[in-house]
Amino acid sequence: MDGMVEENGTSSGAGPTDPLASASSSAAASAPHVVAVTSIVQLTLPTQAPSAQVQSVIQPNQQSVIQTASNIQSVQLPKGNVILVSKPNSVIHTTQGTLQTLQIKPEPNTLVSTQGQSCSDDSCSGDESPKRKYREMLTRRPSYRKILNDLGGAEIAENRMGTKPGNENEVSLSSSLSFAPVIPAGALQTESGLHTLAVSGTGAGGAIVQYATNQDEHFYVPGPMLEDQTRKRELRLLKNREAARECRRKKKEYIKCLENRVAVLENQNKALIEELKTLKELYCQQKVE
DNA sequence: ATAAAACCCCGTCACATGTT
DNA sequence: AACATGTGACGGGGTTTTAT
């Protein structure tokens, strides 16, 4: 239809329940014909008929699917192209986390967005080794920490880290590495099970490192030179264990966020479809009159 | 009842990324 | 550059669901 739908008014921001939601109409002001968040929809008709005002289903405190500057902003270009300008707070990320380049296709009415860096830059030429190529194909998305930071959930994560009983395990580990002739068997209690790492003195031959898991597996590593290596390895494994746990937790949180996001967007989509329907009816009605 | 499938959680490794 | 941390992938083990 030729009519232009323009919304005016101010956004009161997003509800506190959705950490992803953020709306601002700052950029909307400068760009003509940009849809902003409001409750009033002004319908400008192509004819000489007076414009009508209807109540929008999108309430001021509701986040619109059509994002303003702080999220996705839809800009209508003269040729009919649509460019997704930026989306710093979106949970949906490109491989680089933000949109970096724009490519406008010449044909009208095409939706243009990007996937990370364009191939016009130097990153696409250069190292052509298969491994490198494979790696590049599997470019990582930003870390969950980064994403959570962007979402403003970082404090939660930080707090968790802060309340962690500071390197408790590390202390246990080193205490278990005493060189007592009789194995004191300092125990290492993790969340998942009991690990025992003990070093016993064996006279001239040096220490024997004994490692036992809760499955009652035992093996012996001979030689004094391996003590440090073994200890370092055990420490690394311990830390990695914790890291993996934390990483999984963040991943779950992230997925939950995405699922919430989907639910919100689905609702908004429904509302927008309804709104569009209403506006169309109104438009047709006015046209007939 | 039980075997198979599906699901979940965990620990580890390898490698990318971040920090110092 | 060296070291620390984060995360995808893999495989193992336990639990739940499903088909017979």
Side-chain angles (χ1 to χ4, degrees):
Chain A
M1 75 182 180
D2 290 328
M4 177 183 68
V5 178
E6 187 174 5
E7 297 187 1
N8 58 19
T10 55
S11 155
S12 63
T17 50
D18 184 6
L20 310 171
S22 62
S24 128
S25 58
S26 57
S30 57
H33 309 167
V34 167
V35 182
V37 180
T38 182
S39 63
I40 302 293
V41 174
Q42 183 161 7
L43 186 63
T44 307
L45 302 169
T47 61
Q48 300 300 325
S51 61
Q53 285 196 339
V54 295
Q55 187 75 18
S56 168
V57 291
I58 302 172
Q59 298 304 314
N61 61 348
Q62 211 178 346
Q63 191 192 11
S64 173
V65 172
I66 303 165
Q67 305 291 333
T68 55
S70 65
N71 220 310
I72 292 175
Q73 182 183 345
S74 166
V75 178
Q76 199 70 40
L77 297 177
K79 283 183 180 174
N81 292 322
V82 174
I83 299 176
L84 301 176
V85 178
S86 73
K87 46 170 188 169
N89 289 323
S90 171
V91 293
I92 301 162
H93 290 262
T94 63
T95 51
Q96 298 300 317
T98 53
L99 296 174
Q100 300 201 347
T101 55
L102 293 170
Q103 187 186 358
I104 300 172
K105 292 184 180 168
E107 59 187 279
N109 299 321
T110 43
L111 192 67
V112 181
S113 80
T114 66
Q115 285 286 322
Q117 285 186 312
S118 105
C119 263
S120 60
D121 71 13
D122 295 336
S123 67
C124 277
S125 54
D127 192 353
E128 288 293 318
S129 73
K131 196 177 177 185
R132 190 79 205 164
K133 270 184 161 178
Y134 177 68
R135 279 283 156 202
E136 276 170 7
M137 274 165 57
L138 301 173
T139 14
R140 291 191 179 193
R141 29 157 221 63
S143 73
Y144 295 122
R145 186 207 271 179
K146 226 174 202 176
I147 295 168
L148 285 171
N149 259 335
D150 287 349
L151 300 182
E155 316 82 43
I156 303 163
E158 293 302 323
N159 286 345
R160 271 175 179 271
M161 301 283 271
T163 53
K164 233 166 72 179
N167 286 344
E168 217 174 57
N169 291 326
E170 200 172 330
V171 173
S172 304
L173 179 65
S174 55
S175 71
S176 73
L177 280 165
S178 57
F179 283 82
V182 179
I183 301 171
L188 196 68
Q189 184 70 55
T190 67
E191 274 176 43
S192 52
L194 182 71
H195 295 258
T196 305
L197 180 66
V199 179
S200 60
T202 56
I208 287 177
V209 178
Q210 179 183 356
Y211 175 77
T213 68
N214 49 340
Q215 276 90 35
D216 263 351
E217 301 157 1
H218 288 77
F219 56 87
Y220 297 90
V221 183
M225 298 298 288
L226 290 176
E227 292 153 16
D228 199 48
Q229 274 185 324
T230 310
R231 190 182 69 86
K232 275 181 182 169
R233 176 185 151 76
E234 193 58 23
L235 195 61
R236 184 162 46 81
L237 288 181
L238 185 67
K239 281 187 173 177
N240 191 239
R241 215 174 293 146
E242 292 288 329
R245 215 170 280 154
E246 183 66 9
C247 185
R248 284 176 184 128
R249 189 190 62 75
K250 279 183 195 160
K251 191 174 184 177
K252 267 186 177 175
E253 207 170 306
Y254 170 67
I255 288 170
K256 230 180 233 171
C257 264
L258 284 182
E259 285 168 351
N260 288 344
R261 185 80 172 154
V262 167
V264 166
L265 291 178
E266 274 175 352
N267 280 340
Q268 291 183 343
N269 194 34
K270 252 186 223 168
L272 282 171
I273 288 168
E274 276 304 306
E275 184 178 348
L276 181 63
K277 206 173 134 191
T278 309
L279 290 172
K280 271 183 179 170
E281 282 171 8
L282 198 70
Y283 173 69
C284 291
Q285 207 176 327
Q286 291 209 358
K287 213 175 177 184
V288 169
E289 286 171 6

